Amino acid sequence: METLLLWLFYISTLYAFIPGLISRMFGFRVFRRGKGEHEFALTFDDGPDPVYTPQLLDLLKKYNAKATFFVVGSNAEKNPDIIKRMYDEGHLIGIHNYVHKTNWLMRPGTVKKQILRTDKIIHKITGFNTHYYRPPWGIVNLFDFSRKNDIQIVLWSSMFGDWRYRLGADSLARRMLNKLAPGEIFLLHDCGSTLGANMDAPVHMMMALERVLQAAEEQGLRSIRIDDMIAQSGGAVAGSGSINRSRAAKPVKLSWFKKAVVFLWLLWEKIFHFVFQLKTTNKEDPIFHFRTRTYHGNPVDMRDGSRLEKGDQILELHFDNKKLFEIGSTSKSTVQLAIQMIRAVEKTLPELAQYIIKHPELGEIKALYGVSMINRGPEQFGFTVTDLPQGFFAKSSTAYLKLLMSVIHPAGQQRLKRHSEQLIPKLIVMPINLLLSRFAVSGSHRQITELDNEPTEPALEATISY
């Protein structure tokens, strides 16, 4: 039962929760706000609707406003004439899945089929493919991030609850006018048939929108398509390159909102630690958290000549994500990041050895165990580094750790781009006897001056186990 709960926790965290947080926190692989002096963007989800979308197109035409429509494929299939009109009148058409269903409840292959099917429908009607995608409810999963130049995920900076009819046109207009500013991406809906929406809600949306378009005209603002906003914000349109390709190697500066989301992320980690009863050697300044469990993987030959086999007891290590984030966000270079992480591990291994000696119930533990995204480094402490068996766990670990590395690494996306072939999660193990013989008595006095003088790659990329 515990194993099942653990896997469910892993899957939900890796597949949905963490990607959602990081897309919101850092805008990773998504476009959610533009730049400009006189432009904002109107985007419409869930349509086309045979009644309301033509009326909306009339309104946009009246004010010479361009918009982006993220269409549901099944609705587009039923209303090809409306899709053709959108295209002919100069609006951008994007994808909102074939059916309005969250990506959290679909396998990666199913999401891909939904996108491709909708794109084929749009191409059949207009003769052109689209590269713009908004997942329903803006919920991304782990594998959405693996779509590189073929798909640009587009979220929003402002939404208003316009799917509720009871909100009313006056209240909706006030909300929209308060957010009317250059660079804003408005999320609106031209169809009320989605679960949770009201069928007649677009009536009030269009009444409010006309007031906004009038105000925009008076203020010298104009609504443009998402691809135009991406281009003027300094990014490349999807299909020809990804936006914001480079990220300077400097400490991460967080707004109050991002700090709040980081807090929620770390709260999620605390829940994980509570559910699975993880322990640490230093509650004030933890580096590793750990728990005992039974090993279920392939045999591994370790540094002392012994072999870790299925059924052996292991101490599973989990790097403290708060510490990892602090190190990554304050490091000014990859070398500095590596030095801080090596020193943190160097400090903790003697503490861990003493902990095991003081707890006789851990006498059956055969090895330390973890999963790490690594090039070189743990071997100097006595770890054996080996490949993970091919499969879902290896693939999901790779995707998640690359995602996390792009956030905490000072070189960010540049690091991923230059050395993506090296960013592969590895299994690391150390026999307990080796840990005790090296670190239990006098601790580790290993010097890292050779790393201090190393101008290129860090010794330790990241150590995060699941």
Side-chain angles (χ1 to χ4, degrees):
M1 183 64 181
E2 181 187 1
T3 302
L4 176 61
L5 288 173
L6 180 62
W7 273 103
L8 288 174
F9 191 93
Y10 286 162
I11 291 170
S12 63
T13 301
L14 294 175
Y15 192 67
F17 184 77
I18 295 297
L21 281 182
I22 292 180
S23 68
R24 297 291 181 181
M25 286 164 52
F26 300 97
F28 180 77
R29 291 275 176 91
V30 303
F31 185 75
R32 56 181 182 165
R33 184 185 295 273
K35 297 178 182 178
E37 296 182 0
H38 306 288
E39 297 80 24
F40 69 107
L42 294 172
T43 68
F44 300 92
D45 289 5
D46 299 358
D49 182 277
V51 175
Y52 296 118
T53 306
Q55 297 177 31
L56 174 59
L57 290 169
D58 290 340
L59 179 61
L60 295 172
K61 188 174 183 179
K62 177 180 177 181
Y63 288 91
N64 193 29
K66 301 303 177 188
T68 302
F69 290 85
F70 291 98
V71 301
V72 174
S74 56
N75 291 340
E77 202 168 32
K78 296 172 187 175
N79 300 280
D81 54 327
I82 301 178
I83 296 295
K84 185 66 164 59
R85 182 182 170 188
M86 289 176 184
Y87 179 77
D88 289 342
E89 294 185 1
H91 302 292
L92 181 63
I93 303 172
I95 298 168
H96 202 47
N97 283 356
Y98 181 78
V99 294
H100 199 283
K101 186 177 181 180
T102 174
N103 289 6
W104 285 8
L105 300 179
M106 294 189 289
R107 294 174 297 176
T110 304
V111 175
K112 183 177 180 180
K113 289 178 181 177
Q114 292 255 335
I115 293 172
L116 291 176
R117 186 174 181 182
T118 304
D119 186 42
K120 287 180 179 178
I121 292 169
I122 295 169
H123 182 272
K124 183 178 179 181
I125 298 169
T126 66
F128 288 89
N129 296 103
T130 183
H131 301 286
Y132 299 89
Y133 174 58
R134 175 175 287 163
W137 293 289
I139 295 174
V140 297
N141 65 43
L142 179 66
F143 292 92
D144 287 328
F145 291 135
S146 67
R147 309 177 198 283
K148 297 181 181 177
N149 294 342
D150 57 333
I151 287 292
Q152 171 64 62
I153 300 175
V154 179
L155 298 183
W156 58 85
S157 59
S158 299
M159 69 175 178
F160 310 99
D162 65 303
W163 58 87
R164 297 190 299 266
Y165 183 83
R166 61 184 176 84
L167 183 62
D170 291 339
S171 179
L172 182 57
R174 285 194 296 271
R175 292 185 181 186
M176 293 169 67
L177 289 169
N178 285 337
K179 288 291 186 178
L180 183 59
E184 289 289 329
I185 300 177
F186 281 18
L187 168 62
L188 298 167
H189 300 79
D190 58 323
C191 180
S193 62
T194 305
L195 180 67
N198 303 128
M199 289 295 295
D200 295 329
V203 173
H204 287 164
M205 182 276 291
M206 286 187 286
M207 292 171 64
L209 179 59
E210 181 153 24
R211 299 182 198 177
V212 170
L213 290 172
Q214 289 172 350
E217 199 172 67
E218 294 169 359
Q219 296 175 31
L221 296 173
R222 62 190 182 98
S223 174
I224 61 174
R225 297 163 30 141
I226 283 294
D227 55 347
D228 292 330
M229 178 167 280
I230 291 175
Q232 77 168 22
S233 298
V237 296
S240 62
S242 60
I243 64 168
N244 298 327
R245 280 189 174 273
S246 63
R247 187 174 295 176
K250 59 184 179 180
V252 177
K253 295 182 179 180
L254 299 180
S255 66
W256 67 268
F257 173 75
K258 290 180 180 179
K259 288 179 181 178
V261 180
V262 170
F263 170 79
L264 293 175
W265 178 29
L266 297 178
L267 177 61
W268 179 262
E269 182 186 48
K270 287 184 179 179
I271 294 172
F272 176 87
H273 291 175
F274 175 78
V275 171
F276 297 104
Q277 297 296 299
L278 269 66
K279 296 178 171 50
T280 183
T281 60
N282 187 338
K283 292 183 179 181
E284 287 70 32
D285 186 27
I287 304 300
F288 287 125
H289 301 271
F290 53 85
R291 67 175 189 133
T292 59
R293 74 173 185 87
T294 303
Y295 180 66
H296 297 290
N298 297 330
V300 179
D301 292 323
M302 297 186 288
R303 295 282 289 274
D304 67 345
S306 63
R307 171 176 279 205
L308 179 64
E309 300 192 59
K310 185 176 181 180
D312 289 335
Q313 293 299 298
I314 56 175
L315 202 68
E316 182 182 74
L317 301 178
H318 295 252
F319 206 103
D320 184 83
N321 279 338
K322 181 179 180 182
K323 175 62 67 174
L324 183 66
F325 185 83
E326 289 174 353
I327 291 173
S329 61
T330 57
S331 298
K332 296 181 180 180
S333 70
T334 56
V335 173
Q336 187 180 18
L337 171 63
I339 292 171
Q340 290 194 62
M341 294 188 72
I342 288 291
R343 285 174 175 161
V345 173
E346 190 177 40
K347 169 189 173 184
T348 301
L349 289 177
E351 295 177 358
L352 190 57
Q354 292 296 331
Y355 184 92
I356 291 172
I357 291 174
K358 293 177 181 178
H359 291 78
E361 69 273 16
L362 300 179
E364 297 299 318
I365 299 297
K366 191 170 184 178
L368 302 181
Y369 163 94
V371 175
S372 174
M373 183 166 283
I374 219 160
N375 283 331
R376 52 189 170 85
E379 295 96 333
Q380 67 179 289
F381 296 114
F383 284 99
T384 296
V385 181
T386 186
D387 293 335
L388 285 172
Q390 293 298 311
F392 173 78
F393 181 71
K395 291 180 180 178
S396 61
S397 297
T398 300
Y400 169 68
L401 289 172
K402 284 186 177 181
L403 177 65
L404 185 58
M405 181 60 64
S406 71
V407 174
I408 63 96
H409 199 290
Q413 285 298 298
Q414 290 180 340
R415 170 67 181 155
L416 293 179
K417 181 181 176 182
R418 290 197 306 268
H419 301 285
S420 60
E421 75 285 350
Q422 298 177 7
L423 298 181
I424 300 173
K426 302 277 188 177
L427 180 69
I428 63 169
V429 295
M430 180 197 294
I432 290 296
N433 291 336
L434 187 58
L435 172 73
L436 298 180
S437 65
R438 286 195 178 187
F439 300 101
V441 180
S442 59
S444 173
H445 300 289
R446 186 179 308 276
Q447 298 299 312
I448 56 173
T449 54
E450 70 275 11
L451 182 62
D452 290 318
N453 297 324
E454 175 64 61
T456 54
E457 297 302 319
L460 182 63
E461 288 291 357
T463 305
I464 311 98
S465 67
Y466 297 87

